[in-house]
Structure formats: C-alpha cells, structure tokens
Amino acid sequence: MSKRKGKVITEATTFKSRKVAAASIEHTPDDANPSHQGICSKAFAQFSTGDIGLIESITLKNFMCHHSFGPFQFGPNVNFIVGHNGSGKSAILTALIVGLGGKATVTNRGMSLKDFVKTNENTADITVKLRNRGPDAYKKDVYGDSITIEHRLSSDGCRTCRLKSKSGHLVSNKKEELTGILDHFNIQLDNPVSILSQEMSKQFLHSKSETDKYKFFMKATLLEQMKRDYIHIKHTKMVTREQVERQEECLKDLKQEFLQKKERYENVASFSDMKVVLENLKKAMVWCLVSEKEQLLKQLKEDIEKEENNYKPKDNLQLCQTKIIQLEKKLQCIKSKIDTLREEQESLSEDNVKLKEQVKIISKAHKDQEVVYFRALNKLKQSEQEQNLLQEKLNKAKASKSLNSEGDSEYTKRQKSLSNLKEQLAELENKCTHLNQDIKNKHQALLKGKEELDKLRLEERNVQASYESKLKRKNQLLASRSNKLKRFGDQVPDMMSAISEAYATGRFLKRPVGPIGACISLKDPSLAVAVECCLRSFVKAFCCDNYKDEAVLQELMTRFYPKGNRPQIIVSPFSDKLYNIHGRKAYHPEYPSVMDIITATSPVIINCLIDMRGIESILIIKEKDKARRVMQHCRPPKNCREAFTVEGDQVYPNRYYTSDFSMARYLGGDTETEISMLDSDLENYQAQLSRFQLQVNSVTEDIVNMESNLNNTILTMKTTLASVNHVKAAITDLVTASEEQINDISSLEEVAQENQQKIEAEKQSVQEAKAELDKQRKMAEDSDSKYSSVRDRIDQLLEEIEPLKDEQLKLETECAKHERNLKILENKVKAHDDNIEGMKNELAQREEELQGVRRGPRSLQRENQPSKRFAEVHRSSG
C-alpha cells in the first residue's frame, strides 16, 4: 500500500467499525460469455446500524464482456457469489477494485484500463455505493447516509471519477477526495486480507518459503507500512532537529549584529541637520525633474516630426504594389498565350487522330493496289515469256525447213539465245543475293525494334508497379487519418480486434503486444527515418509472453496475411521492469542512443528491442561527417557497435551503408506532408506512363512498317526466284530444242496469235493498274505530308509551351515573393503610423505630467518658504 500522509486513527472502537464486506468468490477460468446465467446472491435487508464503509451495491455497464449488469445488491454481513463460468463473478471483484480507484495491474485481469472496456464500445461505467451512517460517518452533512462512486473508463485508457451524495448531487471529482474516503473507511485495495485475488491465492498456496509467508503477513497486517512510516518519521525528526540547531546558532549572530547597528544609529550626531539638508535637496530635485521633463518633451517633438517626414515606408509600399501589378499583367499575358497554344494543340490533336486514321486507310488501299499491279505485271511477263517460247519454237520449225539452204545458222541463233539467257540468269541470281542480304538486314532491324519495344514495356511495367505502390501507400495514409494502425497495413485494425476477442475468451495467457511501431513514440520526430532504418522489420513485429500465445497469434495471422508474408513474432517473458543495462549501454556526451530517444507504452517493448536489436548500443549522430569521424576516424565510443544518421545511413567502424529511405513509413508524424509528396510522385509517374505509352505506340508503328517492308521484299524475292526458274526452264528448252521436232507450224502460229491478243489485253490491265497505283501513291504521299506537318506543329507547340510554363512558374514565384514583401511593407507602414500615434499620445501624456510637476514646486514654494541654502540650490539649478 502506498504511503499516505494523513491522520492516524488509534481508537479501537473506530477501527472496528471501519470494515468492508468480505467476498468469497469461487475462481475458475472465465469464458467471455456475455450472458449472466446462474448468478444468485443472498442479499439481506440492510440494518439500521451505524456501520460505515459497507458496500451496498455495484452496477456495471459495458465492463469486460458484460453489456449491462446490476445493480448487484450486497448484504450487511458475509456474501457468497456463485455461478457458471463467464457469468460475471470475476467481473464483480475486478469492478470493485477498479471502481474504488485501484490500478489495472492489481486485478491481474488486464495491463491497462482500456482492457476492461467491452469490445466495440467506447466507454465502460462502474457505480459503487458505500454506506455512510453513524457517528463515524465521513462528512455526513455533505454526503448523507451513502456515498456513490462513479467511474467511467474510456477505450484510450483514461478514467474519470465522480463522487455523489445520497441525493445524487455531485460533491467532487478529485482523486484526493476518494483517497480520503478510503482512508477513513480503512479500505485497503492492495491488502490480500481485504481482497485476495486468484493469482495472489495461487502464489500464497504454492509458496513454500517462510520468508514469502512472513512478507505476506507483514503486508496483510500493515506492519510493513507502519515500519516504513516509523523510519520516515524518525528521519524527519532528525532533520528537523538539525535545522533547529542551525537556526539557533544564526540567531545569536543576528542578535549581536542588531546591538552593533543600534549603537551605531544612536551615535549619529548630526542626524537632524542632515534631515533638513535632505528636505532642501528634495525640493531642488523637483525643479531638476521639471527641466528633465521639458528636455524630454522637446526631444519627443523632434522625433515625431522626424517620423512624420519619413516617407520611405509608403514609397516602398507603392513601389511594391506597382511591381505586383506589372507582374500580374505579364502573368496574365503568358497565361493567355499558353491557353491559346493549348487550344491550338487540342485542335491539332483531334486533326492528328483523324489524319492518322486516314493515313492508315490510304496506306492500306495503296498496298492493296500494289498487289493488284504486281499480279497483273507478273501475269503479263509470264504471257510474254510464253509468247517468246512459242515464237522460238515457231522459228525453229521454220528454220528446220530451210536447213539445207541456211546450214548452221539455226544452231548459231540458238547458242546466242542460250548465252543471253545465261546472262539474264546471272543477273537474276545476283539480284536474289542482294535481296537475301536486304531481307537479313530488315529482319535484324525488326528484331532490334522488338527488343526496344520489350525494353520499353518492361520499363513501363516497373513504373506502373511503382505508381501502384505509391498509390497504395497514399491510400494507407489517408486511411490512417482515422485509424493510425492502418499505417502498418489495412488488415492490422481487424487483426487487433481479433486479438482482443481471443484475449477476452481466455485463449491468450497474456495479451500480445504490437505492432511495435504503434507502441513507441519519438522524443525528436526528425529522427524517424534513422529509428525506422535501425529497427527495420521489427517495426511491424508482435511480442508474445510464451510459445502457446505465439501459436494462437500465428493462427489469427493466417486469416489476415498471405502465407509467408506475416509479421515477425518475438517470444520473450513479459516483465514490468526494464533490463539493467548499466554495464553495456553506449555512452557519449553529445549523441544519444536509440533507447534514449524512444518512449514506449510498456517496458516489454523496450526489453524486446534490447534483446533483438540491441538499441542500447546504437548511437544516433545526425550529420554524416560527424558520424564517420566518431565511428571510423578514431576509436568508437564504449559499448557502441554501430550508428545511424538522420538520413538513415548505417555507420560501422569499418564500413558505411547508405539508406534507400527518404521518408519514414510508420513512425513519421507529418502525414499531410507525405501525402503531398506522394501526390507529386504520382503525377510524375503518370507523366512517365504517358510518355512511355507514346514511345510504345511510335515503336509499334515502326515495327509494323518494318514488317510491311520485309513482306514486300520477301514477295519481290519470290517473284525473282520465279523468274530464275523460268529462265532456267528456257535454257533447258534451248538445250533440248535440237532434239525436238516441230511438225505443226500452222498450229504454233495460231497459238502465238491468240497469245499475242492475250498479251495486249494484259498490257491494258497493267496500264490501268499502274495509273491507279500512281493515284494511290500520290494520295498516300499527300496524307503522309499532312500528318507529318500536323505532328511537327504539335511538337513545335509543345516546345513553345514549355518555356512559357517555366516563365509562368518563375513569375508566379516572384509575384508570391512580392506579395509577401507587400504584407511586410503594409505591416511596416501600419507600425510606422502606430508609432507616430503612440509618440503623440506619449507627448500629450508627458505634457500633462509636466503641468503637474510644474504645479508641484510652486505649491511647495507657497507652503514652505525655502531656506537660504535651498534658494542658492534653486538658483544654481535654474
């Protein structure tokens, strides 16, 4: 029991009358069953005796797992409370302790008052009614026959207490008043004889040490407190006696000094003469004061005149206003130019889209017409080759008739034709070689374009991933405005609710603590990045007291986290005291350790961080150069193994690691600044995505063009190969022509004539296709030219807009600067005017004072005629 300085009651009768109704409760593990089945209380009618301090009733609302419970009436003697598990037996005892002002830790049911508030509720109410009758009643005229103690517990761990009289009138809301009532009624909350909790009874029954039992006896009988009080009183008595002795010694010296001063005072001979001189000097001083006041008024008038003639503040104000007007005109002009260029750009963008579609349509029609033209041309060439072959056969047939007259002329012609065909074959094969090389080059260019496209798409995916990550972080920060736990993940609030429910149902032996980042705060918020880089993943970790609680927490985490992505769980026995780190803490006269700048809601957090991260041996050195000098240029401080800078850089005695973080994700306090920075980053990423989209479209269009050119080249290659095959066939025919016999010249001539007619018709088709192809080519060139001109104009507009934007930003910055200067100058002008007005007021006040001072010496002259010496002083001062 904590020591209280107050009156001690020694009367035996009074002590016997101050008692609390004892409660014997059958303790079993509570199940969080909100129903109150099976509670029965044997409440007896209250006697009209004068007993004080008896608990008459208790009422609970939203306490632990009970929504509404009570009022529960107690009898004047022994009370027995029985019921099923979860029916509220432990809740009544816990509520009595808390309702009478006890701490949460005394109940062994929770670490904080917020643990007693029912889940999903904001407050819990406890009302305890105490009897206050008889001659020993506490402030009977104020409270009456009973005292009502009302406690309200909030979900953030705060409590409010109100003390009311029997009529319901509020008497006090101070804790000191409640402490006085408990002392008067002799109610001892932490005395195991008065209240024996389940944990205390287990500890007492299981303890085999006589020392523990003796300590229990000393505590229960208040002998231990009496011993402490006796030691305190004895020490206070000794200190008081020493003070009295010192003061008595000082008193002797003061008496001696008093006698000396008195003798010296009485020995002053010319005291009356000096008194007369003093009166004369006082009168002379009055006239000096008048002269001083007149001089001060003169100086004040000169200052007022000087300030009124000072036009510099107003001139500066006028000049600043003129500059702002000029800048606003320039800014408006630039904005109008930008708006005009943007309107033109939007108009050209629409034309660009239309022209692009038109170019695609015309290009497709041109390619289709090329196919028609080349088909007709190939068909014509094939017919001409057939005609040539027929003509050669016809010539052979005719030449065979005149063989006798002409001799070897037919053989010579055949050899000449064969030589021409071989030359033609060599040219065609050379052309095939060039076409093969061209196809190879275009194929390589196409592969290079596809690689560039893949690279652009990969970069686009990376930027998209960064954009989505930043957007997710922004949504977390927006959500954290209402719930700070959402900084550590959207699922953390739900998981914390699940942990609270599991703890209420008794699944945890001790409630897990975490996430660690939510349980700590920084003494210097500017070091958030350094601390976060130091703690790393431990910011999101949880702490458990034992491995059974860890298994239950892992099971809960599987509901909210994907496999392999749950936070770390640290298992270490909980303790209410910090570790003794005196011999292993890093000390430096200028720089603190991580442990020094962290404050936690529980010692468990600090102990876990000491075990897992060693925060007592890590220094925080803001500047990089100083961190290198302290850690690397000389011997590191004692017990210091590493240090962190304000940017999060990690410094070892033999190496240095630069941090990748620029802003704290979990421990930062300025959420709005981070949201604005994320908005800026998101805009940059959107601009990059737009630029990547344009580049991808351009590269894709180039790839389509290269594929089209490659297909055309391949088609030309196929046509050339067909020509090669025809030439080879003709050569074969010439070689074998000497072995053939042409018998029917007339049939060959008929076929040649029909073939000639066919060739004429095909020539006509080729000419028509050629004309249509030229027409389509001209249309394609015109559309390409228009599209290129629009694209060039759009690019030109972009180049014109950019410097205008820069100039606009520059002018806006300059205008804002002048506006700030304008406010400063306006304040200066106002201060100047106020100063003049104040000086004028002071002048008027000084003149009034001067008039009063002038009247003073005149009245003194009239009332008291000055002595000769005073007249001389007056003339000298005048």
Side-chain angles (χ1 to χ4, degrees), residues 578-817:
L578 289 174
Y579 291 158
N580 184 8
I581 56 170
H582 179 72
R584 50 195 176 96
K585 183 179 179 183
Y587 289 96
H588 194 279
E590 297 181 16
Y591 310 113
S593 65
V594 176
M595 182 178 175
D596 294 331
I597 64 173
I598 287 178
T599 57
T601 57
S602 171
V604 175
I605 300 297
I606 302 297
N607 291 340
C608 285
L609 292 178
I610 290 173
D611 290 337
M612 302 303 295
R613 191 65 184 92
I615 59 175
E616 78 282 2
S617 60
I618 302 174
L619 292 180
I620 299 295
I621 305 174
K622 292 187 177 183
E623 294 82 5
K624 296 181 180 178
D625 298 335
K626 292 183 180 179
R628 289 181 184 272
R629 185 171 65 253
V630 171
M631 296 297 296
Q632 297 178 348
H633 293 177
C634 57
R635 188 175 180 181
K638 184 179 178 181
N639 297 329
C640 178
R641 56 187 178 86
E642 60 181 306
F644 282 86
T645 66
V646 72
E647 294 87 1
D649 297 348
Q650 191 174 11
V651 187
Y652 286 96
N654 56 351
R655 57 193 184 276
Y656 189 98
Y657 297 106
T658 303
S659 173
D660 296 329
F661 297 96
S662 60
M663 180 173 289
R665 291 175 58 85
Y666 306 105
L667 303 180
D670 195 353
T671 305
E672 300 302 326
T673 302
E674 187 174 355
I675 289 175
S676 63
M677 293 180 67
L678 288 173
D679 288 335
S680 178
D681 292 340
L682 289 173
E683 291 178 0
N684 293 334
Y685 283 134
Q686 286 178 344
Q688 291 181 21
L689 289 173
S690 301
R691 186 170 65 254
F692 276 127
Q693 188 63 37
L694 292 175
Q695 292 179 354
V696 167
N697 293 336
S698 177
V699 173
T700 304
E701 187 176 350
D702 294 338
I703 289 174
V704 172
N705 293 332
M706 285 189 289
E707 287 178 348
S708 176
N709 294 333
L710 181 61
N711 292 332
N712 291 335
T713 306
I714 293 173
L715 182 62
T716 305
M717 180 67 181
K718 290 180 180 180
T719 304
T720 306
L721 289 174
S723 301
V724 169
N725 293 331
H726 285 302
V727 172
K728 288 181 178 180
I731 292 173
T732 304
D733 292 338
L734 287 175
V735 172
T736 58
S738 58
E739 299 175 358
E740 295 178 355
Q741 297 293 329
I742 303 175
N743 298 323
D744 194 356
I745 295 175
S746 60
S747 61
L748 289 172
E749 289 178 349
E750 291 177 359
V751 172
Q753 187 175 2
E754 292 176 358
N755 199 19
Q756 186 64 35
Q757 293 176 357
K758 183 179 178 182
I759 287 172
E760 293 297 331
E762 289 176 352
K763 283 183 179 180
Q764 184 66 27
S765 299
V766 168
Q767 291 177 358
E768 293 175 356
K770 177 68 173 172
E772 184 64 25
L773 179 62
D774 293 339
K775 180 179 177 182
Q776 292 291 340
R777 183 183 294 112
K778 188 174 184 307
M779 290 175 64
E781 290 175 353
D782 293 341
S783 62
D784 285 338
S785 177
K786 291 180 180 179
Y787 179 65
S788 299
S789 63
V790 172
R791 287 293 301 274
D792 293 340
R793 180 56 182 165
I794 290 174
D795 294 339
Q796 183 181 357
L797 288 174
L798 289 173
E799 292 177 356
E800 292 177 0
I801 288 174
E802 285 301 323
L804 289 175
K805 283 184 178 180
D806 295 339
E807 188 176 356
Q808 179 186 357
L809 181 60
K810 182 178 179 182
L811 288 174
E812 288 177 348
T813 305
E814 190 175 355
C815 187
K817 178 181 177 182

Side-chain angles (χ1 to χ4, degrees), residues 379-492:
K379 193 173 182 182
L380 175 60
K381 288 181 179 180
Q382 187 176 1
S383 298
E384 288 179 347
Q385 289 177 0
E386 291 177 357
Q387 183 67 14
N388 292 333
L389 292 175
L390 286 173
Q391 191 63 38
E392 290 176 0
K393 289 182 180 180
L394 184 59
N395 292 334
K396 287 179 183 178
K398 290 180 179 179
S400 62
K401 291 183 179 181
S402 56
L403 185 58
N404 295 330
S405 60
E406 295 180 3
D408 294 334
S409 60
E410 183 65 26
Y411 177 78
T412 304
K413 292 179 179 179
R414 191 181 297 114
Q415 291 297 325
K416 187 176 180 181
S417 298
L418 184 62
S419 177
N420 292 333
L421 288 173
K422 286 182 179 181
E423 291 176 359
Q424 186 177 358
L425 178 62
E427 292 176 359
L428 291 173
E429 287 178 347
N430 189 22
K431 184 178 180 182
C432 286
T433 303
H434 289 299
L435 287 173
N436 276 328
Q437 185 63 34
D438 192 16
I439 290 171
K440 184 178 180 181
N441 294 336
K442 290 182 177 180
H443 187 66
Q444 290 178 352
L446 180 61
L447 291 177
K448 186 176 179 181
K450 289 183 177 180
E451 288 177 359
E452 184 180 0
L453 180 61
D454 294 337
K455 183 178 178 181
L456 286 173
R457 286 177 175 169
L458 178 62
E459 293 179 358
E460 183 181 11
R461 285 195 296 270
N462 292 335
V463 173
Q464 183 68 29
S466 300
Y467 175 81
E468 292 175 355
S469 175
K470 296 284 186 181
L471 184 60
K472 182 179 178 182
R473 177 61 181 166
K474 178 185 175 183
N475 294 333
Q476 284 183 351
L477 290 175
L478 291 175
S480 68
R481 288 175 173 173
S482 58
N483 192 340
K484 292 184 178 180
L485 287 176
K486 288 194 175 182
R487 274 198 171 197
F488 301 88
D490 296 332
Q491 67 275 35
V492 172

